[in-house]
Short mmCIF file of all heavy atoms in Angstrom, two decimals:
data_model
loop_
_atom_site.label_atom_id
_atom_site.label_comp_id
_atom_site.label_asym_id
_atom_site.label_seq_id
_atom_site.Cartn_x
_atom_site.Cartn_y
_atom_site.Cartn_z
N ARG A 9 -10.17 10.38 -6.61
CA ARG A 9 -9.14 11.14 -7.33
C ARG A 9 -9.73 12.36 -8.03
O ARG A 9 -9.09 13.40 -8.17
CB ARG A 9 -8.45 10.25 -8.37
CG ARG A 9 -7.54 9.18 -7.79
CD ARG A 9 -6.36 9.77 -7.02
NE ARG A 9 -5.56 10.71 -7.78
CZ ARG A 9 -4.57 10.37 -8.60
NH1 ARG A 9 -4.26 9.11 -8.78
NH2 ARG A 9 -3.89 11.30 -9.26
N TYR A 33 -2.65 16.73 7.51
CA TYR A 33 -2.90 18.07 7.00
C TYR A 33 -3.81 18.03 5.78
O TYR A 33 -3.77 17.07 5.00
CB TYR A 33 -1.58 18.72 6.53
CG TYR A 33 -0.43 18.66 7.51
CD1 TYR A 33 0.29 17.48 7.70
CD2 TYR A 33 -0.04 19.79 8.21
CE1 TYR A 33 1.36 17.42 8.58
CE2 TYR A 33 1.04 19.75 9.09
CZ TYR A 33 1.74 18.56 9.26
OH TYR A 33 2.80 18.53 10.14
N TYR A 35 -4.26 20.51 2.45
CA TYR A 35 -3.78 21.65 1.68
C TYR A 35 -4.67 21.82 0.45
O TYR A 35 -5.16 20.84 -0.12
CB TYR A 35 -2.35 21.43 1.19
CG TYR A 35 -1.27 21.68 2.20
CD1 TYR A 35 -0.83 20.65 3.05
CD2 TYR A 35 -0.65 22.91 2.31
CE1 TYR A 35 0.18 20.87 3.97
CE2 TYR A 35 0.36 23.14 3.23
CZ TYR A 35 0.78 22.11 4.05
OH TYR A 35 1.79 22.34 4.96
N GLN A 37 -4.47 23.33 -3.46
CA GLN A 37 -3.54 23.77 -4.49
C GLN A 37 -4.31 24.29 -5.69
O GLN A 37 -4.98 23.52 -6.39
CB GLN A 37 -2.60 22.63 -4.91
CG GLN A 37 -1.49 23.10 -5.85
CD GLN A 37 -0.46 22.01 -6.14
OE1 GLN A 37 -0.79 20.84 -6.26
NE2 GLN A 37 0.81 22.40 -6.21
N LYS A 40 -0.98 28.12 -10.17
CA LYS A 40 -0.06 29.24 -10.06
C LYS A 40 -0.10 29.93 -8.68
O LYS A 40 0.29 31.08 -8.55
CB LYS A 40 -0.33 30.27 -11.15
CG LYS A 40 -0.34 29.67 -12.54
CD LYS A 40 0.32 30.50 -13.55
CE LYS A 40 0.45 29.70 -14.84
NZ LYS A 40 0.42 30.50 -16.05
N LYS A 41 -0.60 29.22 -7.69
CA LYS A 41 -0.62 29.76 -6.32
C LYS A 41 0.13 28.81 -5.41
O LYS A 41 0.22 27.61 -5.69
CB LYS A 41 -2.05 29.87 -5.81
CG LYS A 41 -2.85 31.03 -6.37
CD LYS A 41 -4.19 31.06 -5.66
CE LYS A 41 -4.94 32.32 -5.92
NZ LYS A 41 -6.21 32.34 -5.16
N PRO A 42 0.66 29.31 -4.29
CA PRO A 42 1.29 28.39 -3.33
C PRO A 42 0.27 27.44 -2.73
O PRO A 42 -0.93 27.77 -2.65
CB PRO A 42 1.82 29.34 -2.25
CG PRO A 42 1.82 30.69 -2.84
CD PRO A 42 0.75 30.71 -3.87
N LEU A 43 0.76 26.31 -2.32
CA LEU A 43 -0.08 25.41 -1.54
C LEU A 43 -0.60 26.17 -0.31
O LEU A 43 0.17 26.79 0.42
CB LEU A 43 0.73 24.20 -1.06
CG LEU A 43 0.95 23.08 -2.05
CD1 LEU A 43 2.07 22.16 -1.58
CD2 LEU A 43 -0.32 22.28 -2.24
N LEU A 45 -2.29 26.00 3.30
CA LEU A 45 -2.61 25.13 4.42
C LEU A 45 -4.02 25.43 4.91
O LEU A 45 -4.37 26.57 5.19
CB LEU A 45 -1.61 25.35 5.55
CG LEU A 45 -1.82 24.53 6.81
CD1 LEU A 45 -1.67 23.05 6.53
CD2 LEU A 45 -0.83 24.97 7.89
N VAL A 48 -4.71 21.44 10.23
CA VAL A 48 -3.68 20.57 10.78
C VAL A 48 -4.26 19.81 11.94
O VAL A 48 -4.94 20.39 12.80
CB VAL A 48 -2.46 21.38 11.29
CG1 VAL A 48 -1.38 20.44 11.81
CG2 VAL A 48 -1.91 22.28 10.21
N GLU A 56 -4.87 23.75 14.06
CA GLU A 56 -4.81 24.95 13.25
C GLU A 56 -5.97 24.96 12.27
O GLU A 56 -6.32 23.94 11.71
CB GLU A 56 -3.49 25.02 12.48
CG GLU A 56 -3.26 26.35 11.79
CD GLU A 56 -1.79 26.57 11.46
OE1 GLU A 56 -0.94 25.89 12.07
OE2 GLU A 56 -1.51 27.42 10.63
N ASN A 58 -6.85 27.72 9.31
CA ASN A 58 -6.41 28.98 8.72
C ASN A 58 -7.55 29.77 8.09
O ASN A 58 -7.56 30.00 6.89
CB ASN A 58 -5.32 28.70 7.69
CG ASN A 58 -4.00 28.41 8.35
OD1 ASN A 58 -3.68 29.00 9.37
ND2 ASN A 58 -3.26 27.49 7.78
N LEU A 88 -7.12 21.43 -6.54
CA LEU A 88 -6.59 20.12 -6.11
C LEU A 88 -6.46 20.15 -4.59
O LEU A 88 -5.82 21.06 -4.04
CB LEU A 88 -5.24 19.86 -6.76
CG LEU A 88 -4.57 18.52 -6.43
CD1 LEU A 88 -5.36 17.36 -7.03
CD2 LEU A 88 -3.14 18.50 -6.93
N LEU A 90 -5.03 18.36 -1.38
CA LEU A 90 -3.98 17.41 -1.03
C LEU A 90 -4.00 17.13 0.46
O LEU A 90 -4.05 18.04 1.28
CB LEU A 90 -2.61 17.98 -1.40
CG LEU A 90 -2.29 18.05 -2.89
CD1 LEU A 90 -1.12 18.99 -3.14
CD2 LEU A 90 -1.98 16.67 -3.44
N ARG A 97 4.25 17.22 14.13
CA ARG A 97 3.91 18.55 13.64
C ARG A 97 5.13 19.44 13.85
O ARG A 97 5.65 19.54 14.95
CB ARG A 97 2.71 19.07 14.41
CG ARG A 97 2.34 20.48 14.08
CD ARG A 97 1.07 20.81 14.83
NE ARG A 97 0.91 22.25 14.92
CZ ARG A 97 0.78 22.91 16.05
NH1 ARG A 97 0.78 22.28 17.20
NH2 ARG A 97 0.63 24.21 16.04
N GLY A 98 5.56 20.10 12.79
CA GLY A 98 6.75 20.94 12.88
C GLY A 98 7.99 20.09 13.07
O GLY A 98 8.09 18.97 12.60
N ARG A 99 8.99 20.61 13.77
CA ARG A 99 10.22 19.92 14.13
C ARG A 99 10.94 19.34 12.93
O ARG A 99 11.58 18.29 13.02
CB ARG A 99 9.95 18.79 15.13
CG ARG A 99 9.39 19.26 16.43
CD ARG A 99 9.24 18.10 17.40
NE ARG A 99 8.28 18.42 18.44
CZ ARG A 99 7.81 17.56 19.31
NH1 ARG A 99 8.22 16.33 19.31
NH2 ARG A 99 6.93 17.94 20.21
N GLY A 100 10.78 19.96 11.76
CA GLY A 100 11.53 19.51 10.61
C GLY A 100 11.08 18.20 10.01
O GLY A 100 11.84 17.58 9.27
N SER A 101 9.89 17.76 10.29
CA SER A 101 9.40 16.51 9.70
C SER A 101 8.89 16.77 8.29
O SER A 101 8.02 17.61 8.09
CB SER A 101 8.25 15.94 10.53
OG SER A 101 8.66 15.62 11.82
N PRO A 102 9.42 16.06 7.29
CA PRO A 102 8.92 16.27 5.93
C PRO A 102 7.49 15.75 5.79
O PRO A 102 7.06 14.84 6.51
CB PRO A 102 9.88 15.45 5.06
CG PRO A 102 10.48 14.45 5.98
CD PRO A 102 10.50 15.07 7.33
N LEU A 103 6.77 16.34 4.86
CA LEU A 103 5.41 15.92 4.57
C LEU A 103 5.40 14.82 3.53
O LEU A 103 6.19 14.83 2.59
CB LEU A 103 4.60 17.10 4.04
CG LEU A 103 4.43 18.30 4.97
CD1 LEU A 103 3.64 19.40 4.25
CD2 LEU A 103 3.75 17.90 6.25
N HIS A 104 4.50 13.90 3.71
CA HIS A 104 4.24 12.85 2.72
C HIS A 104 2.83 13.10 2.20
O HIS A 104 1.87 13.08 2.98
CB HIS A 104 4.35 11.47 3.36
CG HIS A 104 5.71 11.15 3.84
ND1 HIS A 104 6.55 10.27 3.17
CD2 HIS A 104 6.42 11.60 4.90
CE1 HIS A 104 7.71 10.19 3.81
NE2 HIS A 104 7.65 10.99 4.85
N PHE A 105 2.72 13.32 0.90
CA PHE A 105 1.45 13.71 0.31
C PHE A 105 0.75 12.53 -0.35
O PHE A 105 1.37 11.62 -0.88
CB PHE A 105 1.68 14.77 -0.78
CG PHE A 105 2.01 16.13 -0.25
CD1 PHE A 105 3.32 16.50 -0.03
CD2 PHE A 105 1.01 17.05 0.01
CE1 PHE A 105 3.64 17.76 0.46
CE2 PHE A 105 1.30 18.31 0.49
CZ PHE A 105 2.63 18.66 0.71
N GLY A 106 -0.58 12.61 -0.33
CA GLY A 106 -1.38 11.75 -1.19
C GLY A 106 -1.43 12.35 -2.59
O GLY A 106 -0.92 13.45 -2.83
N ASN A 107 -2.07 11.63 -3.53
CA ASN A 107 -2.14 12.08 -4.91
C ASN A 107 -3.19 13.16 -5.14
O ASN A 107 -3.27 13.71 -6.24
CB ASN A 107 -2.40 10.91 -5.84
CG ASN A 107 -1.14 10.10 -6.09
OD1 ASN A 107 -0.03 10.66 -6.14
ND2 ASN A 107 -1.27 8.80 -6.22
N GLY A 108 -3.98 13.44 -4.12
CA GLY A 108 -4.91 14.56 -4.23
C GLY A 108 -6.25 14.19 -4.82
O GLY A 108 -6.41 13.15 -5.48
N THR B 8 9.01 31.77 -11.22
CA THR B 8 7.83 31.05 -11.69
C THR B 8 8.20 29.94 -12.66
O THR B 8 7.68 28.82 -12.56
CB THR B 8 6.86 32.02 -12.39
OG1 THR B 8 6.54 33.06 -11.49
CG2 THR B 8 5.60 31.30 -12.82
N GLU B 9 9.09 30.24 -13.58
CA GLU B 9 9.45 29.26 -14.61
C GLU B 9 10.94 29.33 -14.92
O GLU B 9 11.55 30.40 -14.84
CB GLU B 9 8.67 29.52 -15.90
CG GLU B 9 7.17 29.30 -15.78
CD GLU B 9 6.46 29.30 -17.11
OE1 GLU B 9 7.13 29.16 -18.16
OE2 GLU B 9 5.23 29.45 -17.12
N ASN B 30 12.30 26.40 11.25
CA ASN B 30 12.60 25.03 11.66
C ASN B 30 12.98 24.19 10.46
O ASN B 30 12.68 22.99 10.42
CB ASN B 30 11.39 24.44 12.38
CG ASN B 30 11.80 23.37 13.36
OD1 ASN B 30 12.95 22.96 13.42
ND2 ASN B 30 10.85 22.88 14.12
N GLY B 31 13.57 24.80 9.45
CA GLY B 31 14.06 24.02 8.33
C GLY B 31 13.49 24.48 7.00
O GLY B 31 12.40 25.04 6.92
N PHE B 33 12.66 23.08 3.13
CA PHE B 33 12.40 21.85 2.40
C PHE B 33 12.27 22.15 0.91
O PHE B 33 11.77 23.21 0.51
CB PHE B 33 11.08 21.23 2.86
CG PHE B 33 11.04 20.84 4.31
CD1 PHE B 33 10.82 21.79 5.29
CD2 PHE B 33 11.18 19.51 4.68
CE1 PHE B 33 10.77 21.43 6.63
CE2 PHE B 33 11.12 19.15 6.02
CZ PHE B 33 10.91 20.11 6.99
N TYR B 35 10.55 20.21 -2.52
CA TYR B 35 9.71 19.13 -3.01
C TYR B 35 9.68 19.20 -4.53
O TYR B 35 9.77 20.27 -5.13
CB TYR B 35 8.28 19.26 -2.48
CG TYR B 35 8.12 19.01 -1.00
CD1 TYR B 35 8.40 20.01 -0.07
CD2 TYR B 35 7.69 17.77 -0.53
CE1 TYR B 35 8.25 19.77 1.28
CE2 TYR B 35 7.54 17.53 0.83
CZ TYR B 35 7.83 18.53 1.72
OH TYR B 35 7.69 18.30 3.07
N GLN B 37 7.26 18.15 -7.84
CA GLN B 37 5.90 17.77 -8.19
C GLN B 37 5.76 17.67 -9.70
O GLN B 37 5.81 18.68 -10.41
CB GLN B 37 4.88 18.78 -7.64
CG GLN B 37 3.44 18.33 -7.86
CD GLN B 37 2.43 19.28 -7.24
OE1 GLN B 37 2.72 20.45 -7.00
NE2 GLN B 37 1.24 18.78 -6.94
N GLY B 40 0.12 16.56 -12.36
CA GLY B 40 -0.91 15.58 -12.03
C GLY B 40 -0.55 14.64 -10.91
O GLY B 40 -1.30 13.69 -10.64
N GLU B 41 0.60 14.87 -10.27
CA GLU B 41 1.02 13.98 -9.20
C GLU B 41 1.20 14.73 -7.89
O GLU B 41 1.16 15.95 -7.84
CB GLU B 41 2.33 13.27 -9.58
CG GLU B 41 2.21 12.38 -10.82
CD GLU B 41 3.50 11.66 -11.14
OE1 GLU B 41 4.42 11.63 -10.30
OE2 GLU B 41 3.58 11.10 -12.26
N ALA B 42 1.42 13.97 -6.82
CA ALA B 42 1.64 14.57 -5.51
C ALA B 42 3.06 15.11 -5.41
O ALA B 42 3.97 14.60 -6.05
CB ALA B 42 1.42 13.52 -4.43
N PRO B 43 3.27 16.14 -4.60
CA PRO B 43 4.64 16.57 -4.30
C PRO B 43 5.39 15.47 -3.57
O PRO B 43 4.81 14.76 -2.73
CB PRO B 43 4.44 17.79 -3.39
CG PRO B 43 3.04 18.23 -3.60
CD PRO B 43 2.27 17.00 -3.93
N THR B 44 6.67 15.31 -3.88
CA THR B 44 7.50 14.34 -3.17
C THR B 44 8.70 15.06 -2.57
O THR B 44 9.28 15.96 -3.18
CB THR B 44 7.98 13.21 -4.09
OG1 THR B 44 8.65 13.79 -5.22
CG2 THR B 44 6.82 12.37 -4.59
N PHE B 45 9.07 14.65 -1.38
CA PHE B 45 10.15 15.28 -0.63
C PHE B 45 11.49 15.04 -1.30
O PHE B 45 11.83 13.92 -1.68
CB PHE B 45 10.15 14.70 0.78
CG PHE B 45 11.34 15.04 1.61
CD1 PHE B 45 11.54 16.35 2.05
CD2 PHE B 45 12.25 14.07 1.96
CE1 PHE B 45 12.64 16.66 2.82
CE2 PHE B 45 13.36 14.37 2.73
CZ PHE B 45 13.56 15.67 3.16
N TYR B 48 16.12 18.56 2.79
CA TYR B 48 15.85 19.31 4.02
C TYR B 48 17.15 19.93 4.50
O TYR B 48 18.15 19.24 4.62
CB TYR B 48 15.28 18.37 5.07
CG TYR B 48 15.17 18.94 6.46
CD1 TYR B 48 14.34 20.01 6.73
CD2 TYR B 48 15.88 18.37 7.52
CE1 TYR B 48 14.21 20.52 8.02
CE2 TYR B 48 15.76 18.87 8.81
CZ TYR B 48 14.92 19.94 9.05
OH TYR B 48 14.80 20.44 10.33
N LEU B 87 9.05 22.91 -5.43
CA LEU B 87 8.42 23.73 -4.39
C LEU B 87 9.38 23.94 -3.23
O LEU B 87 9.92 22.97 -2.68
CB LEU B 87 7.15 23.03 -3.86
CG LEU B 87 6.16 22.51 -4.90
CD1 LEU B 87 4.98 21.84 -4.19
CD2 LEU B 87 5.68 23.61 -5.81
N ASN B 92 8.09 25.88 10.31
CA ASN B 92 8.26 26.59 11.58
C ASN B 92 7.83 25.64 12.69
O ASN B 92 7.73 24.44 12.47
CB ASN B 92 7.49 27.92 11.58
CG ASN B 92 6.01 27.72 11.33
OD1 ASN B 92 5.44 26.70 11.72
ND2 ASN B 92 5.38 28.67 10.68
N ASN B 93 7.57 26.19 13.86
CA ASN B 93 7.27 25.31 14.99
C ASN B 93 5.94 24.59 14.84
O ASN B 93 5.68 23.62 15.51
CB ASN B 93 7.28 26.12 16.28
CG ASN B 93 8.68 26.59 16.63
OD1 ASN B 93 9.66 25.92 16.30
ND2 ASN B 93 8.78 27.74 17.28
N ASN B 94 5.09 25.11 13.98
CA ASN B 94 3.74 24.59 13.92
C ASN B 94 3.41 23.86 12.62
O ASN B 94 2.64 22.91 12.62
CB ASN B 94 2.72 25.72 14.09
CG ASN B 94 2.84 26.36 15.45
OD1 ASN B 94 3.02 25.67 16.44
ND2 ASN B 94 2.77 27.67 15.49
N ASP B 95 3.93 24.34 11.51
CA ASP B 95 3.51 23.77 10.24
C ASP B 95 4.51 24.10 9.15
O ASP B 95 5.64 24.48 9.44
CB ASP B 95 2.10 24.26 9.86
CG ASP B 95 2.00 25.78 9.81
OD1 ASP B 95 2.95 26.41 9.31
OD2 ASP B 95 0.99 26.32 10.29
N MET B 96 4.11 23.94 7.90
CA MET B 96 4.98 24.18 6.77
C MET B 96 4.25 25.05 5.76
O MET B 96 3.09 24.78 5.43
CB MET B 96 5.35 22.83 6.12
CG MET B 96 6.47 22.92 5.13
SD MET B 96 6.94 21.29 4.51
CE MET B 96 7.38 20.45 6.03
N ARG B 97 4.94 26.08 5.25
CA ARG B 97 4.35 26.98 4.26
C ARG B 97 5.16 26.90 2.98
O ARG B 97 6.38 26.78 3.01
CB ARG B 97 4.34 28.41 4.77
CG ARG B 97 3.66 28.59 6.10
CD ARG B 97 2.15 28.32 6.02
NE ARG B 97 1.53 28.31 7.33
CZ ARG B 97 0.43 28.97 7.65
NH1 ARG B 97 -0.19 29.69 6.73
NH2 ARG B 97 -0.06 28.91 8.87
N PHE B 98 4.46 27.00 1.86
CA PHE B 98 5.07 26.76 0.56
C PHE B 98 5.16 28.02 -0.30
O PHE B 98 4.30 28.90 -0.23
CB PHE B 98 4.23 25.73 -0.21
CG PHE B 98 4.39 24.32 0.29
CD1 PHE B 98 3.72 23.90 1.43
CD2 PHE B 98 5.21 23.43 -0.37
CE1 PHE B 98 3.87 22.60 1.90
CE2 PHE B 98 5.37 22.13 0.08
CZ PHE B 98 4.70 21.72 1.22
N GLY B 99 6.19 28.06 -1.15
CA GLY B 99 6.22 29.01 -2.24
C GLY B 99 5.32 28.54 -3.36
O GLY B 99 4.77 27.42 -3.31
N ALA B 100 5.17 29.36 -4.38
CA ALA B 100 4.26 29.02 -5.48
C ALA B 100 4.85 27.98 -6.42
O ALA B 100 4.12 27.45 -7.28
CB ALA B 100 3.88 30.27 -6.26
N GLY B 101 6.13 27.67 -6.27
CA GLY B 101 6.74 26.65 -7.10
C GLY B 101 7.42 27.22 -8.34
O GLY B 101 7.01 28.26 -8.86
N ARG B 103 8.35 26.07 -12.15
CA ARG B 103 8.14 25.06 -13.20
C ARG B 103 9.38 24.97 -14.06
O ARG B 103 9.72 25.92 -14.76
CB ARG B 103 6.92 25.41 -14.05
CG ARG B 103 6.60 24.33 -15.09
CD ARG B 103 5.55 24.82 -16.07
NE ARG B 103 4.32 25.17 -15.41
CZ ARG B 103 3.33 24.32 -15.13
NH1 ARG B 103 3.44 23.06 -15.48
NH2 ARG B 103 2.24 24.73 -14.52
#
Side-chain angles (χ1 to χ4, degrees):
Chain A
R9 289 297 305 275
Y33 310 76
Y35 281 88
Q37 188 173 37
K40 307 221 171 150
K41 284 185 168 183
L43 279 164
L45 179 63
V48 182
E56 189 160 341
N58 283 323
L88 181 67
L90 288 163
R97 175 175 160 237
R99 298 184 201 171
S101 297
L103 299 178
H104 295 255
F105 286 90
N107 282 325
Chain B
T8 304
E9 294 191 17
N30 207 353
F33 299 79
Y35 290 82
Q37 186 176 23
E41 298 182 13
T44 55
F45 169 69
Y48 170 64
L87 312 179
N92 58 32
N93 291 330
N94 297 319
D95 56 41
M96 192 175 302
R97 305 293 172 131
F98 286 79
R103 184 190 301 273

